[in-house]
């Protein structure tokens, strides 16, 4: 699948992306449990997409990496595809 083909509220997404940026992680607490989240930007030849990285996945991805997402899902947040 290509980035241009990803639609909101879709699942079973398999895509290979070049990571161009990873934001600094931010910490949160939900239901009394601490966690971390960071945003990354991934691109292919058809466009780019924002990716949410959670907890230990943040440390596995850095700018310049090529990643493969298997069985991913997409949604829209504040008018932006993720």
């Amino acid at each position: 699948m290509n980035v241009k083909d990803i639609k909101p509220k879709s699942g079973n997404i398999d895509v290979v992306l070049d990571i161009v940026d990873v934001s600094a992680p931010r910490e949160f607490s939900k239901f009394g449990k601490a966690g971390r989240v960071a945003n990354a930007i991934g691109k292919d030849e058809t466009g780019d997409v924002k990716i949410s990285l959670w907890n230990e996945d943040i440390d596995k991805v850095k700018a310049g990496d090529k990643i493969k997402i298997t069985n991913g899902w997409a949604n829209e947040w504040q008018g932006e595809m993720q």
Side-chain angles (χ1 to χ4, degrees), residues 36-55:
R36 297 183 311 147
V37 64
N39 292 320
I41 303 295
K43 72 172 192 167
D44 67 9
E45 63 277 358
T46 67
D48 57 55
V49 65
K50 185 182 280 186
I51 303 163
S52 296
L53 300 171
W54 299 92
N55 299 313

Side-chain angles (χ1 to χ4, degrees), residues 3 9 20 22-24 42 47 52 65 75 77:
V3 169
K9 298 182 183 176
V20 294
V22 179
S23 70
S52 296
D65 287 351
N75 212 341
W77 173 253

Side-chain angles (χ1 to χ4, degrees), residues 38-82:
N39 292 320
I41 303 295
K43 72 172 192 167
D44 67 9
E45 63 277 358
T46 67
D48 57 55
V49 65
K50 185 182 280 186
I51 303 163
S52 296
L53 300 171
W54 299 92
N55 299 313
E56 65 276 354
D57 289 339
I58 296 169
D59 302 320
K60 296 177 185 175
V61 178
K62 64 184 182 309
D65 287 351
K66 183 178 284 268
I67 66 168
K68 179 177 183 181
I69 296 174
T70 303
N71 196 27
W73 55 272
N75 212 341
E76 202 169 25
W77 173 253
Q78 297 180 342
E80 189 172 30
M81 180 74 67
Q82 297 188 348

Side-chain angles (χ1 to χ4, degrees), residues 1-7 10-18 43-46 49 51 67-74:
M1 177 176 278
N2 292 317
V3 169
K4 70 176 177 72
D5 300 320
I6 298 173
K7 304 290 184 230
S10 61
N12 198 27
I13 296 170
D14 296 338
V15 64
V16 176
L17 300 168
D18 292 309
K43 72 172 192 167
D44 67 9
E45 63 277 358
T46 67
V49 65
I51 303 163
I67 66 168
K68 179 177 183 181
I69 296 174
T70 303
N71 196 27
W73 55 272

